């Protein structure tokens, strides 16, 4: 092998020798490179300078500080249901109440688990002692009892009993707090099956039980919801036993019992306890008097509600020490005023004057009850004043009571009754994006808002508001489009009707009521511009497709409007196709459809079709005025015999229509006279007696 390589260098290179040489050259380069890499790897690395490690104390808030710049602080904490566009937002007040109750129940369940397992949750401290530097202080047994009462923990009763056995004295204020806890939680109450407490509306008394069974309108409807157990006040519950064992009682003790009785709707017992405390001349607080007013409102056995309320108010001002009413008192007084009938409005205004005289500030609940008292008498004139007050005092736009969320929905409904678009716009601006959480039912609110603007002929504003709100915040219902189409026809605005039809198709609103289609066609019928006929005809085609989808027969009006629009665009053949729909559904052709086709064929000088349409008008009993007939005869070539025949026939139709009108008028007059005679012949009350 070595000799072969030596001979290779000694002789001239051939073509094959050159290939071998090139391969040897490449192999030598690969070997040299590999050796260099191996040599570099075997060399010891350079020693890096050693940096001494200094332990650093970690900042516990380092992560929060790093993330602070990425967070935008909110003006208000997020609450589910504050924006109507939120897909998780409750769609009704009932769902919102269920959500709030579920959230509070979850908190109470979590606190109960934490309190029941203190060893597991030893690190949980809801109120850390920051002032003492985290050092625990020794607490007495009475302090522990107060903590349990503050946490709404009914185990406070066991602590109280153990303290009493140990001979420790407990002050009356703590006992009243414990009594209020037991009474409000209903510890030891009776649980029965059933929904709400029986009321006058759904009760069937013994006297009218037979009448209710015989009369289906008076029969009590069976609830479709399953019965929910409810707690009823028991005479031997924990609160009653604790109250009877108390050696010393004051107004706070009676107030705690009255509060629990009102919660569990035992109004008769609550009023009797109030009378007992009044006989003992005990001083009661404003919350107790408010509970008594709630009893007066809810107790159906009281006849003179306002007289009973006046006695309570005199007790507040003439008691051992006068009690200042608060805003809750004024709200309850407005509720009592609503039960006084015709004098409710004057009493409500008197209560409001007294409210401002006492320096109190009304809430949304106050204004809502004031508005209800007026609306109950079909009077909405107080709404502009209420709206102006809110605009000048926007700090009341906050939830202080769950009833506050009902104000804007009720106010917008009153604005629709008042037909005041300006008030509706002002209410909508008050309930802007920062206060959507105050609207308990956004669909009702926006439905009434748009219906109010439409009824006031503010159609341009209606289009702008629809673009801003639909469908990002609110998806309208089908009946709202029915109202809008109706007002578009009333105010001769077919272009606005076309806009809302396109919006209806864009939002894909589902509906089963064909009246939506009828009103839309009515809005399209006001169009008289031939240049825009193509858009209206496209909309009319969509209407017919929807009508076929609903499997509803067309009305005479819908067929007539379709023929009119086709004739306006010059489509006589399309108009005749829709004219055949009359015969298909056995509908009498309308005068407008026949006269429209007659004028179109007369303009085209189509004599056969003109004669055919004139005969159809005669056949269906219609009448053409003489001047209209002369115009038709001037445009087409009709013989004298046909002209005279047509004129005689129309004259006969006219005389027949006149006779029918006179007979109907005489019949109506006879009915009116007969009704007056019956009224005169009716005996008076004295004659019956």
């Amino acid at each position: 092998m070595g000799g072969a390589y030596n001979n290779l260098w000694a002789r001239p290179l051939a073509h094959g020798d050159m290939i071998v040489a090139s391969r040897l050259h490449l192999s030598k380069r690969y070997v040299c490179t590999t050796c260099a890499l191996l040599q570099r790897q075997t060399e010891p690395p350079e020693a890096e300078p050693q940096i001494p490690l200094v332990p650093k104390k970690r900042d516990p808030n380092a992560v929060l500080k790093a993330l602070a710049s990425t967070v935008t602080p909110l003006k208000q904490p997020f609450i589910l249901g504050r924006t109507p566009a939120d897909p998780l937002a409750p769609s009704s007040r009932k769902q919102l109440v269920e959500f709030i109750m579920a959230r509070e129940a979850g908190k109470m369940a979590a606190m109960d688990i934490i309190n029941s397992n203190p060893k597991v949750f030893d690190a949980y401290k809801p109120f850390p002692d920051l002032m003492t530097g985290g050092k625990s202080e020794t607490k007495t047994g009475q302090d522990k009892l107060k903590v349990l009462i503050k946490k709404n923990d009914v185990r406070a009763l066991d602590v109280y009993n153990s303290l009493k056995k140990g001979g420790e004295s407990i002050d009356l204020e703590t006992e009243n707090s414990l009594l209020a806890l037991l009474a409000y939680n209903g510890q030891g109450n009776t649980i029965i099956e059933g929904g709400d407490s029986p009321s006058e509306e759904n009760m069937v008394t013994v006297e009218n039980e037979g009448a209710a069974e015989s009369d289906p309108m008076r029969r009590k409807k069976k609830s479709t919801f399953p019965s929910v157990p409810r707690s009823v006040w028991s005479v031997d519950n924990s609160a009653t036993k604790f109250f009877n064992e108390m050696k010393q009682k004051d107004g706070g003790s009676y107030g705690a019992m009255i509060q629990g009785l009102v919660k569990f709707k035992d109004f008769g017992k609550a009023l009797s306890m109030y009378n007992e405390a009044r006989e003992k001349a005990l001083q009661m607080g404003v919350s107790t008097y408010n509970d008594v007013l709630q009893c007066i409102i809810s107790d159906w056995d009281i006849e003179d509600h306002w007289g009973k309320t006046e006695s309570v108010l005199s007790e507040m001002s003439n008691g051992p020490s006068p009690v200042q009413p608060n805003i809750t008192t004024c709200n309850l007084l407005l509720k009592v005023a609503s039960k006084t009938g015709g004098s409710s409005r004057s009493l409500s205004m008197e209560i409001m004057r007294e409210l401002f005289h006492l320096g109190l500030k009304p809430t949304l609940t106050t204004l809502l009850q004031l508005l209800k008292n007026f609306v109950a008498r079909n009077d909405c004139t107080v709404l502009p004043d209420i709206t102006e007050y809110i605009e000048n005092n926007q700090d009341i736009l906050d939830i202080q009571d769950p009833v506050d969320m009902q104000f804007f929905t009720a106010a917008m409904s009153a604005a629709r009754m008042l037909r005041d678009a300006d008030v509706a716009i002002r209410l909508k601006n008050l309930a802007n994006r920062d206060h959507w959480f105050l609207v308990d039912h956004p669909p009702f609110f926006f439905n009434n808002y748009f219906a109010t603007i439409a009824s006031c002929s503010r159609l341009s504003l209606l289009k702008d508001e629809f673009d801003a709100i639909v469908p990002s915040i609110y998806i309208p219902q089908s009946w709202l489009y029915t109202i809008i189409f109706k007002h578009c026809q009333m105010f001769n605005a077919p272009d606005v009707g076309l806009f809302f039809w396109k919006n209806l198709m864009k939002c894909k609103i589902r509906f089963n009521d064909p009246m939506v289609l009828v009103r839309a066609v009515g809005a399209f019928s006001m169009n008289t511009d031939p240049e825009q006929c193509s858009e209206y005809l496209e909309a009319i085609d969509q209407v017919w497709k929807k009508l076929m989808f609903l499997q509803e027969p067309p009305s005479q009006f819908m067929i007539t409007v379709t023929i009119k629009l086709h004739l306006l665009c010059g489509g006589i053949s399309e108009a005749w196709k829709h004219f055949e729909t009359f015969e298909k559904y056995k509908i009498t052709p309308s005068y407008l459809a026949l006269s429209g086709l007659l004028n179109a064929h007369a303009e085209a000088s189509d004599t056969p079709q003109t004669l055919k349409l004139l005969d159809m008008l005669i056949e269906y009993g219609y009448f053409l005025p003489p001047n209209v007939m002369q115009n038709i005869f001037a445009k087409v070539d009709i013989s004298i015999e046909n002209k005279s025949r047509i004129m005689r026939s129309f004259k006969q139709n006219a005389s027949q229509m006149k006779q029918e009108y006179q007979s109907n008028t005489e019949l109506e007059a006879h009915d009116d006279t007969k009704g007056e005679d019956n009224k005169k012949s009716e005996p008076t009350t004295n004659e019956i007696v």
Side-chain angles (χ1 to χ4, degrees):
M1 188 73 181
Y5 278 105
N6 293 331
N7 295 333
L8 179 65
W9 300 114
R11 59 183 176 83
L13 293 176
H15 177 69
D17 298 334
M18 293 176 65
I19 294 176
V20 173
S22 62
R23 289 179 178 176
L24 289 173
H25 177 68
L26 290 175
S27 61
K28 290 173 67 177
R29 285 186 59 188
Y30 175 77
V31 172
C32 294
T33 306
T34 306
C35 295
L37 290 173
L38 292 174
Q39 184 179 4
R40 187 179 300 174
Q41 290 178 359
T42 54
E43 291 179 359
E46 298 180 1
E48 296 181 358
Q50 296 291 333
I51 301 176
L53 297 176
V54 179
K56 294 182 180 180
K57 186 177 181 181
R58 181 179 177 275
D59 186 4
N61 298 324
V63 178
L64 296 178
K65 290 179 180 179
L67 295 175
S69 59
T70 63
V71 178
T72 302
L74 297 175
K75 296 181 180 179
Q76 297 176 347
F78 175 77
I79 296 179
L80 182 64
R82 286 205 169 190
T83 56
D86 187 0
L88 299 178
S91 58
S92 64
R93 175 170 174 77
K94 178 183 176 183
Q95 293 181 2
L96 180 62
V97 172
E98 291 176 352
F99 159 72
I100 295 174
M101 293 175 62
R103 182 180 61 185
E104 296 301 324
K107 289 182 180 179
M108 294 178 64
M111 291 300 301
D112 185 64
I113 294 173
I114 291 172
N115 296 331
S116 303
N117 303 276
K119 295 182 179 180
V120 179
F121 301 96
D122 56 346
Y124 177 77
K125 293 182 180 180
F127 303 104
D129 301 327
L130 299 177
M131 301 302 296
T132 59
K135 298 179 180 179
S136 60
E137 295 181 353
T138 58
K139 295 183 179 180
T140 62
Q142 192 165 342
D143 292 337
K144 295 179 180 178
L145 176 62
K146 291 180 180 180
V147 170
L148 290 175
I149 295 173
K150 188 176 180 180
K151 291 182 178 181
N152 197 20
D153 194 342
V154 293
R155 291 178 300 174
L157 181 61
D158 299 333
V159 177
Y160 173 83
N161 293 331
S162 62
L163 292 176
K164 294 295 288 185
K165 288 181 181 179
E168 187 172 347
S169 61
I170 300 174
D171 59 313
L172 181 60
E173 182 181 358
T174 306
E175 288 185 344
N176 289 340
S177 300
L178 179 57
L179 176 62
L181 171 64
L182 298 175
Y184 195 78
N185 288 340
Q187 191 75 9
N189 280 357
T190 304
I191 306 299
I192 64 173
E193 295 291 333
D196 296 334
S197 61
S199 63
E200 189 175 297
E201 297 178 356
N202 56 14
M203 285 183 63
V204 179
T205 58
V206 178
E207 290 80 2
N208 63 359
E209 186 175 359
E213 290 296 329
S214 61
D215 188 0
M217 298 299 293
R218 299 178 60 186
R219 194 176 301 154
K220 179 183 175 182
K221 295 181 179 180
K222 294 183 179 180
S223 176
T224 57
F225 296 96
S227 59
V228 180
R230 62 186 181 92
S231 179
V232 179
W233 187 268
S234 177
V235 294
D236 57 349
N237 59 9
S238 301
T240 305
K241 293 178 181 178
F242 188 87
F243 180 78
N244 295 331
E245 293 174 359
M246 290 178 65
K247 297 180 180 179
Q248 185 181 0
K249 302 172 186 176
D250 61 354
S253 307
Y254 282 88
M257 289 293 291
I258 291 172
Q259 182 185 22
L261 289 165
V262 170
K263 179 188 176 183
F264 295 102
K265 300 182 180 181
D266 195 345
F267 304 117
K269 181 67 175 176
L271 289 175
S272 64
M273 293 209 70
Y274 165 71
N275 294 328
E276 182 182 345
R278 188 177 60 176
E279 291 174 358
K280 294 181 179 181
L282 297 177
Q283 177 66 33
M284 290 177 285
V286 64
S287 60
T288 305
Y289 286 107
N290 292 340
D291 292 333
V292 174
L293 291 176
Q294 185 63 51
C295 290
I296 295 173
I297 295 169
S298 305
D299 195 346
W300 293 98
D301 297 331
I302 298 176
E303 296 182 357
D304 187 9
H305 291 84
W306 188 251
K308 189 72 174 177
T309 302
E310 285 182 334
S311 64
V312 174
L313 294 176
S314 64
E315 287 290 334
M316 292 178 66
S317 58
N318 301 326
S321 61
V323 178
Q324 180 77 8
N326 57 11
I327 191 61
T328 305
T329 311
C330 297
N331 296 342
L332 293 170
L333 290 176
L334 288 172
K335 285 186 178 181
V336 177
S338 66
K339 296 180 175 293
T340 57
S343 60
S344 60
R345 288 174 290 179
S346 59
L347 277 176
S348 299
M349 297 307 297
E350 185 178 350
I351 292 169
M352 293 300 296
R353 284 192 290 269
E354 187 66 22
L355 181 148
F356 287 109
H357 178 71
L358 293 173
L360 299 175
K361 195 169 185 179
T363 62
L364 291 179
T365 302
T366 311
L367 302 178
L368 172 64
Q369 190 60 48
L370 175 65
L371 180 62
K372 284 182 177 180
N373 293 352
F374 275 77
V375 172
R377 311 302 301 178
N378 294 325
D379 184 4
C380 302
T381 55
V382 74
L383 181 60
D385 297 330
I386 292 176
T387 306
E388 183 179 358
Y389 178 80
I390 298 176
E391 289 174 343
N392 297 330
N393 302 271
Q394 296 197 17
D395 54 336
I396 71 172
L397 293 175
D398 196 6
I399 297 179
Q400 302 180 21
D401 189 274
V403 186
D404 291 343
M405 299 174 63
Q406 302 177 16
F407 171 77
F408 278 101
T409 304
M412 191 59 73
S413 178
R416 184 181 176 187
M417 293 176 59
L418 193 62
R419 290 196 175 186
D420 194 334
D422 294 330
V423 173
I425 295 168
R426 290 160 62 187
L427 287 170
K428 180 257 178 183
N429 292 334
L430 286 172
N432 52 17
R433 293 181 180 274
D434 294 334
H435 301 102
W436 281 140
F437 62 93
L438 288 173
V439 181
D440 66 333
H441 206 300
F444 286 171
F445 178 82
F446 286 113
N447 284 339
N448 289 321
Y449 173 62
F450 290 125
T452 305
I453 297 176
S455 63
C456 297
S457 71
R458 305 283 289 273
L459 299 180
S460 59
L461 175 64
L462 185 63
K463 289 175 60 177
D464 297 339
E465 290 294 313
F466 241 74
D467 284 336
I469 296 176
V470 178
S472 59
I473 298 178
Y474 155 75
I475 298 178
Q477 298 174 349
S478 60
W479 67 266
L480 177 63
Y481 288 96
T482 306
I483 295 176
I484 293 174
F485 291 142
K486 174 184 175 182
H487 288 93
C488 289
Q489 183 181 4
M490 290 174 57
F491 300 119
N492 194 10
D495 54 336
V496 180
L498 183 62
F499 167 81
F500 281 102
W501 175 259
K502 292 179 179 178
N503 185 274
L504 177 67
M505 295 291 101
K506 177 183 177 182
C507 296
K508 298 180 180 179
I509 305 298
R510 295 183 178 181
F511 57 90
N512 297 322
D513 187 7
M515 186 55 64
V516 181
L517 304 175
V518 175
R519 292 299 185 186
V521 172
F524 302 156
S525 67
M526 308 307 296
N527 177 49
T528 56
D529 188 2
E531 296 181 357
Q532 297 182 356
C533 275
S534 58
E535 296 183 7
Y536 290 99
L537 288 176
E538 182 181 353
I540 284 288
D541 291 339
Q542 294 175 349
V543 168
W544 280 90
K545 290 178 182 178
K546 285 285 184 181
L547 195 67
M548 296 300 104
F549 177 76
L550 296 177
Q551 297 181 356
E552 291 286 339
S555 63
Q556 185 190 63
F557 175 72
M558 295 181 66
I559 303 173
T560 303
V561 173
T562 307
I563 293 173
K564 173 192 171 184
L565 291 176
H566 279 290
L567 291 176
L568 189 63
C569 295
I572 299 178
S573 59
E574 294 294 331
W576 274 108
K577 289 180 181 178
H578 284 87
F579 186 83
E580 295 174 357
T581 312
F582 286 118
E583 184 179 358
K584 179 180 179 181
Y585 291 96
K586 297 181 181 181
I587 301 173
T588 303
S590 65
Y591 173 80
L592 292 176
L594 290 170
S595 60
L597 287 169
L598 177 64
N599 291 326
H601 284 286
E603 290 290 339
S605 300
D606 191 347
T607 303
Q609 290 292 344
T610 303
L611 285 173
K612 178 182 177 181
L613 289 166
L614 287 171
D615 292 336
M616 292 177 69
L617 284 167
I618 295 169
E619 179 185 356
Y620 290 111
Y622 294 122
F623 170 72
L624 278 180
N627 58 343
V628 177
M629 283 191 290
Q630 294 299 331
N631 292 333
I632 297 296
F633 294 157
K635 294 177 182 178
V636 294
D637 186 13
I638 301 176
S639 63
I640 298 175
E641 295 178 357
N642 285 332
K643 288 181 181 179
S644 59
R645 178 182 61 82
I646 291 169
M647 293 181 69
R648 284 196 308 269
S649 300
F650 278 124
K651 192 176 293 185
Q652 291 176 2
N653 289 347
S655 61
Q656 186 177 357
M657 291 171 63
K658 185 176 181 180
Q659 291 176 2
E660 291 178 357
Y661 174 76
Q662 290 176 354
S663 62
N664 292 333
T665 305
E666 292 175 359
L667 184 61
E668 291 176 359
H670 177 70
D671 292 340
D672 294 340
T673 306
K674 186 177 179 180
E676 291 178 0
D677 294 340
N678 291 336
K679 289 181 181 178
K680 291 179 181 179
S681 62
E682 289 178 358
T684 61
T685 307
N686 295 330
E687 292 175 353
I688 294 174
V689 174

